[in-house]
Amino acid sequence: MDILIGIKFCGGCNPRYDRKLKKEEIENKLFTFFKALKTQFNIEHAREDAHYKYLIVIGGCSTCCASYDQYKADKVIKIKDISDMPIEIYSFQEEQNGVEEIL
Amino acid sequence: MLMTGTEYIESLRKLNTRVYMFGEKIENWVDHPMIKPSINCLAVTYDLAQDPEYADLMTAKSSITGEKINRFAHLHQSSEDLKKKVKMQRLCGQKTASCFQRCVGMDAFNAVFSTTFEIDEKYGTHYHENFVKYLKYIQENDLVVDGAMTDPKGDRALAPHQQKDPDLFLRIKEVREDGIIVRGAKCHQTGSINSHEHLIMPTIAMKEEDKAYAVSFAVESDAEGVYMIYGRQSCDTRKMEENADVDLGNKQFGGQEALVVFDDVFVPNERVFLCGEYDFAGMMVERFAGYHRQSYGGCKVGVGDVIIGAAALAADYNGAAKASHVKDKIIEMTHLNETLYCCGIACSTEGYATKAGNYQIDLLLANVCKQNVTRYPYEIVRLAEDIAGGLMVTMPSEKDFKSDTVVGKEGETIGDICNKYFAAAPTCSTEDRMRILRLLENICLGSSAVGYRTESLHGAGSPQAQRIMIARQGNISEKKELAKAIAGIK
Ligand SMILES: Cc1cc2nc3c(=O)[nH]c(=O)nc-3n(C[C@H](O)[C@H](O)[C@H](O)COP(=O)(O)OP(=O)(O)OC[C@H]3O[C@@H](n4cnc5c(N)ncnc54)[C@H](O)[C@@H]3O)c2cc1C
């Protein structure tokens, strides 16, 4: 089964970095990562009627005030800074019996 | 159902709103060049709600239906909601650099919702039920509603019933079995022409003699007997100039106010939310003003963000960005702007549940917020004008910059001369410099100064109105006790 990943943005009242570019960066990295693992994944804007393995909340500042209680997700990962990456997802490789340093 | 910006604009075309400007009826007001920028502003509040990048602030779950709605139609359910309201307003201010007009309605919804609950509790009336039905209709159809409070008020020294002309405060002219007939007007109505509906509230606290003026109700903007006379803004006719662009400063967006007249308008009972219960007029006014004073800690901050950015760019373009006093002025502007934001967030954080269940801001902090708003934007524009230099008010027109008319001995055109003498730092084109200076002109003293300056001063009540509230809420007796305890006074 595909890994389903949801993306939720904060509302962007005073973002300290470009959240849209960050989303693209994350998507590109995850694409490389899951390709190496030969695992299918889907990434989409979070919907309330889906169940996500990972929900990535992209907040424009350290407050990261986006609401996400309405979504179903096994794990919620918050991005609050330009340098943050959803590193928790990389532990997925351990679950899949270890792939060498991919990222 | 959330509308898109385009759908919103199309929905306005279906209304038969009567609009007058320059002494004439405007038939196609939706496409009128002086009105269109204010409609574009409201369209932004729809488009941002559709965009996942902004939806967290722009939408909410309705407490009435459980459906996703535009936050501008939301009843705040928590302090978190109140904070998100302020953040949404900051966002909309940033995206439009103008008054985007949709907050008066939102503030009116929340004030009328909680006040009608308490009127019904005391008098056994059905205003709250009426209002909840009305708001459900607004939420489901994603409509814009003008929050109309300010009466013409005539002689300020006289109460409504003492005025020579009884219509100077909007009043109940007749009570019928099926509804009421109202007469009067509301002044300075932000976004009234662009609104699908009007929600009317009294303008001041009232005594028994003013019973006929204690009225709250809703009407469609094109209801029989309603008409609007458009308010002029500084530099407004620039928008009528052919191919106007640079000279407008902000080509796309702008604010709007109008005089809204109620010429014996019938309001059916189900749209009446206060009718003669004068002892609740004050509560409705105070709650609306409280929310609206909070609002300014968001919307003006968003516009302030644009001004700060524009001033910083002007400094870059002028080649003065490295000067220490210029850097310090940008810091000061940021400090003032973020102080306003702090106030908006603070009065939201200290919010509390009303009897009806929606959340109300902390009144003292909201009044402190608005009192600061009556001052800081003026200092922010002063600093912006300082950094910009005089050219923002003395620059020739865009037509001159583009003119081929030969004026120089060596065949130079007016355009060549303008581009020669108004060039500055090599990193920017003269046109970009013009654009940023015109944007500053627009907000500091052009058509958007209506929203950024005078609305900051008088909107949601003139400065003295906040000082009265601060005096009432200031808890001075407790402060005296604190001082006595420290000083050892028994
Ligand atoms: C750009 C803009 C947008 C607005 N949008 C809206 C809107 O959407 N909806 C809405 O309902 N209203 C709106 N307002 C109206 C706003 O709330 C009023 O301007 C404000 O309440 C002040 O009223 P006024 O303009 O009649 O001034 P006035 O009340 O005439 O005040 C002028 C001065 O006189 C003083 N004064 C007045 N009466 C007295 C008195 N009895 N005793 C002592 N001093 C007095 C005031 O303190 C002030 O200093 C808007 C105003 C502006 C400028």
Side-chain angles (χ1 to χ4, degrees):
Chain A
M1 207 174 71
D2 290 2
I3 305 280
L4 192 55
I5 300 175
I7 294 264
K8 167 77 194 222
F9 282 112
C10 75
C13 70
N14 197 14
R16 311 302 204 264
Y17 63 94
D18 189 327
R19 295 166 304 139
K20 222 172 181 170
L21 279 183
K22 189 77 202 173
K23 174 177 172 272
E24 282 165 23
E25 184 193 349
I26 291 171
E27 280 172 345
N28 290 338
K29 285 264 160 89
L30 291 179
F31 181 77
T32 315
F33 176 71
F34 283 112
K35 197 173 164 201
L37 288 180
K38 296 192 173 55
T39 303
Q40 293 294 319
F41 84 107
N42 255 323
I43 192 159
E44 63 180 24
H45 289 298
R47 290 179 287 120
E48 288 186 33
D49 57 356
H51 189 118
Y52 298 102
K53 177 124 183 96
Y54 301 104
L55 176 68
I56 303 174
V57 182
I58 304 181
C61 71
S62 49
T63 311
C64 197
C65 69
S67 51
Y68 54 83
D69 286 350
Q70 65 273 39
Y71 304 112
K72 290 181 269 310
D74 295 343
K75 195 165 185 65
V76 175
I77 304 165
K78 288 189 178 182
I79 304 292
K80 302 175 174 185
D81 185 86
I82 184 95
S83 60
D84 286 353
M85 286 302 281
I87 46 171
E88 292 89 334
I89 297 182
Y90 306 157
S91 65
F92 180 79
Q93 74 189 81
E94 285 152 27
E95 290 169 32
Q96 300 291 305
N97 294 331
V99 174
E100 294 293 298
E101 190 59 14
I102 292 164
L103 293 143
Chain B
M1 177 211 63
L2 290 175
M3 279 196 268
T4 63
T6 309
E7 285 166 346
Y8 157 69
I9 293 172
E10 288 314 305
S11 73
L12 293 180
R13 294 188 197 285
K14 296 188 186 122
L15 298 172
N16 291 314
T17 310
R18 280 166 67 192
V19 180
Y20 297 88
M21 188 198 286
F22 298 131
E24 284 171 12
K25 184 158 188 238
I26 308 293
E27 296 298 343
N28 178 9
W29 49 267
V30 177
D31 297 311
H32 193 285
M34 267 170 63
I35 302 180
K36 189 81 187 184
S38 63
I39 295 177
N40 291 341
C41 259
L42 270 160
V44 165
T45 70
Y46 285 89
D47 285 334
L48 290 177
Q50 305 270 350
D51 187 334
E53 241 193 297
Y54 305 106
D56 190 67
L57 291 181
M58 297 301 303
T59 61
K61 189 172 265 187
S62 166
S63 55
I64 303 172
T65 63
E67 296 297 319
K68 184 172 166 180
I69 54 167
N70 193 297
R71 190 177 291 280
F72 279 105
H74 188 45
L75 295 167
H76 317 299
Q77 298 299 301
S78 61
S79 296
E80 204 49 41
D81 264 352
L82 289 170
K83 283 194 277 184
K84 286 203 169 172
K85 170 198 163 185
V86 171
K87 292 179 184 192
M88 167 183 73
Q89 291 169 305
R90 182 171 190 166
L91 171 69
C92 293
Q94 290 169 349
K95 297 291 182 196
T96 60
S98 306
C99 170
F100 42 84
Q101 310 145 57
R102 209 170 166 182
C103 3
V104 265
M106 165 178 57
D107 293 338
F109 298 150
N110 277 277
V112 175
F113 178 80
S114 65
T115 308
T116 49
F117 184 89
E118 294 181 42
I119 307 172
D120 289 357
E121 204 180 47
K122 181 168 176 188
Y123 289 111
T125 42
H126 297 282
Y127 299 138
H128 190 66
E129 190 186 322
N130 288 351
F131 184 71
V132 172
K133 264 192 212 146
Y134 174 71
L135 186 59
K136 184 167 175 273
Y137 162 74
I138 298 300
Q139 289 182 346
E140 285 176 346
N141 292 283
D142 201 10
L143 302 179
V144 177
V145 179
D146 170 34
M149 175 162 279
T150 311
D151 291 292
K153 296 183 293 199
D155 183 340
R156 270 57 175 166
L158 302 177
H161 74 278
Q162 294 169 324
Q163 300 286 335
K164 211 165 159 190
D165 181 343
D167 299 340
L168 293 177
F169 285 77
L170 193 142
R171 66 192 171 100
I172 307 160
K173 194 176 164 200
E174 190 188 331
V175 178
R176 292 183 1 191
E177 194 134 300
D178 52 348
I180 55 175
I181 306 281
V182 294
R183 185 172 181 79
K186 292 286 179 182
C187 287
H188 319 293
Q189 291 310 300
T190 296
S192 51
I193 294 162
N194 308 337
S195 299
H196 303 97
E197 292 266 338
H198 279 60
L199 174 54
I200 280 63
M201 298 160 288
T203 213
I204 45 169
M206 285 171 190
K207 301 210 171 91
E208 191 166 3
E209 310 84 74
D210 292 321
K211 217 174 152 174
Y213 298 89
V215 63
S216 173
F217 59 89
V219 286
E220 296 96 347
S221 299
D222 59 354
E224 168 67 32
V226 175
Y227 58 88
M228 298 159 202
I229 305 173
Y230 195 82
R232 292 213 66 169
Q233 297 179 332
S234 154
C235 311
D236 52 9
T237 45
R238 281 194 197 181
K239 293 173 189 164
M240 310 271 277
E241 290 169 12
E242 210 183 325
N243 300 324
D245 177 9
V246 179
D247 289 354
L248 299 180
N250 185 347
K251 186 182 176 185
Q252 224 183 326
F253 303 114
Q256 174 201 104
E257 292 77 28
L259 173 75
V260 183
V261 180
F262 297 79
D263 191 3
D264 292 347
V265 176
F266 173 70
V267 185
N269 281 331
E270 61 271 19
R271 278 175 165 249
V272 176
F273 314 127
L274 172 77
C275 185
E277 294 80 4
Y278 61 90
D279 47 333
F280 281 93
M283 180 188 284
M284 202 177 269
V285 172
E286 191 175 287
R287 290 190 178 174
F288 169 78
Y291 284 122
H292 213 41
R293 289 168 194 177
Q294 168 212 26
S295 282
Y296 284 29
C299 64
K300 304 302 173 209
V301 179
V303 180
D305 288 328
V306 178
I307 299 175
I308 295 168
L313 281 172
D316 289 345
Y317 296 172
N318 288 347
K322 291 204 175 96
S324 63
H325 78 96
V326 170
K327 284 186 196 157
D328 191 56
K329 279 164 187 157
I330 301 283
I331 293 169
E332 179 64 7
M333 291 166 81
T334 308
H335 159 70
L336 293 169
N337 204 42
E338 297 298 342
T339 304
L340 299 180
Y341 183 60
C342 290
C343 293
I345 292 295
C347 67
S348 308
T349 308
E350 298 286 281
Y352 62 92
T354 64
K355 280 187 180 177
N358 64 335
Y359 264 61
Q360 177 75 29
I361 42 70
D362 179 273
L363 212 49
L364 174 62
L365 298 185
N367 277 279
V368 169
C369 177
K370 174 66 210 320
Q371 181 77 183
N372 284 337
V373 172
T374 66
R375 299 172 182 167
Y376 295 178
Y378 284 85
E379 181 61 8
I380 290 171
V381 293
R382 192 185 72 78
L383 291 166
E385 289 184 34
D386 180 347
I387 293 170
L391 196 56
M392 65 174 262
V393 292
T394 64
M395 190 164 44
S397 71
E398 181 181 3
K399 276 197 178 131
D400 291 313
F401 279 85
K402 293 186 174 157
S403 169
D404 290 334
T405 305
V406 175
V407 283
K409 287 189 177 142
E410 294 181 15
E412 303 96 329
T413 62
I414 297 177
D416 294 335
I417 295 297
C418 286
N419 281 295
K420 171 182 162 79
Y421 288 110
F422 296 121
T427 46
C428 79
S429 67
T430 314
E431 181 176 325
D432 285 351
R433 187 169 179 231
M434 275 166 62
R435 283 188 182 276
I436 217 66
L437 294 177
R438 286 289 183 212
L439 170 60
L440 283 169
E441 181 199 30
N442 170 263
I443 309 176
C444 297
L445 44 87
S447 56
S448 292
V450 173
Y452 192 65
R453 290 174 62 124
T454 316
E455 192 184 336
S456 290
L457 192 67
H458 286 294
S462 309
Q464 189 57 21
Q466 289 109 58
R467 297 189 83 79
I468 291 167
M469 290 307 295
I470 291 169
R472 271 194 219 148
Q473 305 273 322
N475 202 9
I476 303 302
S477 55
E478 175 60 18
K479 290 179 169 60
K480 283 183 183 167
E481 293 307 318
L482 293 173
K484 278 188 191 168
I486 298 287
I489 300 169
K490 296 263 179 311

